[in-house]
Amino acid sequence: MLAVMGSGCVGNSNEVADLKEVNLVELPTKIQRSTVLNDGGERLKACVRVREEGMEGEATCQTMELVGTKAKLTIANLKKNTNYVVTIEFSFDSEAYGNVVLATVEQTTTTVAGNNRLSLGKDAYQYPDDDKDGWDNHKELERDTDPYVVDKMTRTSLLEVGHMDCTNGGTLVETGIDKNANEVLDDNEVDARENICKDPPVNTNGSVGWQGATLVENSNVGDAWKAQVALDDSGNAVAVWEEHDGTRYNIWGNRFDPLAGWSTAALVETNDSGSAVSPQMVLDGDGNALVVWQQSDGVRENIWARRFVSDTGWSAATLIETNDAGDAVSPQ
């Protein structure tokens, strides 16, 4: 319950009420400081906007202090007998994606002399889904996916030999948005299909197929994920990924030669001022690669790049943007 207290005499409809009461607002059901994104709520923020109904423009968001499972709020200088729109916003200061709004609620109240109460339960909040892919922003951060980029899911199924589109069999790849957020790509969510057909048999042992699975990174200090891979027409490949060393995330890479197999995994970046995340890469027809990633310098996120030349190896990592006005994220 949000209570706004007014005191003193009221003379006309435009008189300013003397509002001094400190109010405590329940945190949203899904946003609890003890569990939100496993940092104890240290980067959780709350603010409130109050504007007179019908007024143009957006009011400044006033910071609210978080106290346990509630947020403290004081609203001052409101006119009596006036409709006000109160908007409360909870957000998270993500190292990778900036300030991400997790929950919002908006209510309208009319001020009168004495107590003014706005019914505001912790279940009244909405949870934004900025990229509209079925996962709200809070869930995206829990999954470590970009809340501003649509995340498509993929499912595969085998095509038998003799299939009308793939004589030698193959794989049906289906993609779409998980709109009901059940972590399964349902039939009614598929929006694209592609048949990947097997080549005709090339030897007496049968047709070309999957090789045995191979570990391309061998450090067991922390998790390795968000792998990206590129392949040229000759079968050369380069893979890059994020990997935690117990302190921060780094960018690693490995090369594949169709004759020699995978080489040894190597660090693509060696700057330890902050975590390096979100690697992306491309490979040309000569086996030359370009890798970009996002990395913190301890103050803000920057964009770095490094080239691999097939004849000479890796060049030096380079900062490719130098505007320090704010974070630079999600390179492509």
Side-chain angles (χ1 to χ4, degrees):
M1 185 73 71
L2 183 154
V4 179
M5 301 294 292
S7 64
C9 296
V10 287
N12 57 63
S13 61
N14 292 322
E15 182 173 352
V16 174
D18 182 16
L19 303 177
K20 299 179 180 179
E21 184 71 12
V22 174
N23 310 284
L24 293 177
V25 179
E26 291 282 350
L27 268 62
T29 300
K30 291 175 60 174
I31 312 299
Q32 298 302 311
R33 293 182 68 200
S34 60
T35 59
V36 64
L37 302 172
N38 298 319
D39 81 337
E42 291 299 317
R43 286 181 284 159
L44 181 65
K45 298 179 180 179
C47 68
V48 61
R49 291 185 175 90
V50 181
R51 63 177 174 83
E52 188 174 336
E53 191 174 43
M55 297 293 288
E56 297 294 330
E58 187 176 55
T60 301
C61 210
Q62 305 173 47
T63 301
M64 299 167 62
E65 180 184 356
L66 298 176
V67 182
T69 61
K70 297 183 179 180
K72 292 176 67 175
L73 164 65
T74 301
I75 305 175
N77 301 322
L78 303 183
K79 294 180 289 189
K80 80 178 187 74
N81 299 328
T82 303
N83 291 335
Y84 285 94
V85 179
V86 180
T87 305
I88 295 177
E89 177 182 290
F90 287 86
S91 62
F92 186 80
D93 187 15
S94 166
E95 292 182 351
Y97 309 114
N99 194 53
V100 180
V101 177
L102 304 182
T104 62
V105 65
E106 184 173 283
Q107 297 262 352
T108 300
T109 186
T110 302
T111 55
V112 296
N115 293 351
N116 294 276
R117 293 186 177 273
L118 177 66
S119 178
L120 186 62
K122 62 183 181 180
D123 294 325
Y125 289 85
Q126 301 295 314
Y127 301 93
D129 175 13
D130 281 337
D131 57 14
K132 295 179 175 56
D133 62 0
W135 299 93
D136 63 53
N137 294 350
H138 181 255
K139 189 65 176 178
E140 294 262 27
L141 293 184
E142 285 186 327
R143 299 170 66 222
D144 195 29
T145 52
D146 194 326
Y148 306 117
V149 176
V150 174
D151 299 298
K152 287 200 171 188
M153 295 191 70
T154 301
R155 69 180 188 184
T156 61
S157 56
L158 293 178
L159 301 176
E160 300 293 337
V161 174
H163 186 274
M164 61 181 297
D165 295 320
C166 294
T167 304
N168 300 294
T171 303
L172 170 63
V173 179
E174 299 173 299
T175 58
I177 299 173
D178 182 20
K179 296 178 181 177
N180 61 7
N182 66 349
E183 301 195 50
V184 175
L185 185 62
D186 299 318
D187 290 343
N188 62 353
E189 296 172 332
V190 174
D191 58 25
R193 295 178 173 84
E194 180 183 5
N195 291 331
I196 301 178
C197 301
K198 289 183 179 180
D199 292 328
V202 295
N203 56 52
T204 58
N205 296 324
S207 62
V208 173
W210 289 102
Q211 297 178 341
T214 302
L215 191 65
V216 299
E217 61 80 34
N218 52 17
S219 172
N220 292 323
V221 176
D223 290 330
W225 54 5
K226 288 193 175 179
Q228 300 285 322
V229 64
L231 186 74
D232 69 15
D233 292 339
S234 300
N236 300 297
V238 176
V240 292
W241 63 89
E242 295 177 18
E243 188 164 340
H244 204 270
D245 63 7
T247 302
R248 66 186 63 81
Y249 283 99
N250 302 295
I251 305 300
W252 286 75
N254 202 341
R255 296 184 62 246
F256 177 82
D257 183 299
L259 298 178
W262 288 99
S263 62
T264 302
L267 269 173
V268 176
E269 58 78 32
T270 56
N271 182 350
D272 290 339
S273 58
S275 286
V277 298
S278 302
Q280 295 282 322
M281 65 166 305
V282 67
L283 192 68
D284 68 14
D286 296 323
N288 304 305
L290 177 65
V291 183
V292 293
W293 66 90
Q294 169 186 330
Q295 185 159 13
S296 173
D297 61 9
V299 178
R300 65 188 62 81
E301 299 293 320
N302 302 295
I303 305 301
W304 287 75
R306 192 175 184 186
R307 294 185 65 239
F308 178 85
V309 180
S310 59
D311 293 335
T312 59
W314 289 101
S315 65
T318 303
L319 183 67
I320 62 172
E321 59 77 34
T322 56
N323 182 350
D324 290 340
D327 290 327
V329 300
S330 302
Q332 297 285 327

